[in-house]
Amino acid sequence: MTAQLFAELQAELDERARQGLRRRRRLLQSPQGANIKADGAEVLSFCSNDYLGLANHPALIAAMQKAIATAGVGSGASHLVTGHHQMHHALEQTLAGFVGLPAALCFSSGYMANLGVVTAMMRRGDAIFADKLNHASLNDAAVLARADLQRYQHNDLVQLEGQLSASKAPRKLVLADAVFSMDGDMAPVPELLALCERYDAWLMLDDAHGFGVLGEQGQGALSHFGVKSPRIIYMATLGKAAGVSGAFVAAEQVVIDYLLQQARTYIYTTATPPALAATTLAAIDVMRFDSARRTHLHTLIAYLKEHLHLDRWQLMPSDTAIQPVLVGGNEDAVRLSEHLLTKGILVPAIRPPTVPKDTARLRISLSAAHSIADVQRLVDVLQQAEKEWG
Ligand SMILES: *Cc1c(COP(=O)(O)O)cnc(C)c1O
């Protein structure tokens, strides 16, 4: 009976494999760090989002152990029932103050935060204007909201203005990654804000890759650009530079009050363990007061940009921890990634549909856990590979 059902799935899997697009998981056998053990091999890794090297930081480990001892391991309920622990509450207040907005709300993940905010704020008949290179979760959110979705070419303010000025939607929302996850470049945040003011739209920024990395103390993109506005809805994740897990949305108090009532991915899910919130509070402390980590990360970024010289492939323009090398073809990108692995270096190949067709790339992510010598090793191996490439 089920043979036909299975055959259909298998045929799709086979087709994916034929196109070189079937994905597999590596088995991680160590904590996150510069040197990891994966699939039985010790490798130098350039593929985590743990930009400040906090995922295995002793102060965070101690904070989690201490919090578990007093709060237990599970939250036991959703936030609106009895799951909202004082540790969650303290984290929200700290995060809001840190990014300079009146209030914040924590979500279980960035994916859920984006879905929750966009579906709460927007409905059928409203219009969403989204950068074409936005993260998948923002695209999914727009579809789920059933609003009219208009996508503009990457960072194209002229096209965006055309779309905004032509729109008669009662409510408008501009959605953009502040730092683009597969390119590492930034959105022109002040210019986006100016357009939102001109056309009376909300501006939602997804700062998953800027929070902890940008700004004097790691406060993220708003601090980096020096922008402030009540129409900004700021989202950042806590599983990347903050080294833990989860996400938060910060905005005006009335926006947060509204989300608390309306965001379905906030309401209908179990609160994360309170110990995660306590651990994230410890992460924010390190982020703020141990500025040497961020300084070191930016030194590594500058070092890579200065020392990596390629002809066939191309380091894409980026000032963040995401430093992609554009390769082009899917098979070439995979082959290069596999070649690096034979040299003990792990850098993932990113292929369509995650990135546009013919722009397959190696996505190098740097972390404060790396040393200059680690980055030099990567540079040497890449340059040597290019020389020998047949
Ligand atoms: C990682 C990421 C998310 C999703 O966050 P999670 O906490 O991993 O669910 C959302 N937006 C961007 C730009 C991301 O890079």
Side-chain angles (χ1 to χ4, degrees), residues 109-111 114 135 137 177 179 181 206 208-209 235 237 240 246-247:
S109 73
Y111 192 101
N114 284 341
H135 191 262
S137 58
D177 284 16
V179 172
S181 55
D206 176 337
H209 301 278
M235 195 290 293
T237 61
K240 288 171 180 158

Side-chain angles (χ1 to χ4, degrees), residues 95-104 176-179 186-193 203-236 248-252:
L95 288 169
F98 186 47
V99 300
L101 285 161
D177 284 16
V179 172
M186 293 178 218
V189 172
E191 290 80 3
L192 288 177
L193 180 58
L203 175 60
M204 180 171 178
L205 294 170
D206 176 337
D207 201 24
H209 301 278
F211 184 69
V213 172
L214 300 175
E216 201 65 37
Q217 295 187 304
Q219 306 97 314
L222 299 183
S223 164
H224 173 84
F225 286 106
V227 296
K228 222 176 166 72
S229 161
R231 67 177 69 242
I232 291 178
I233 302 171
Y234 177 84
M235 195 290 293
F248 71 99
V249 175
E252 287 297 302

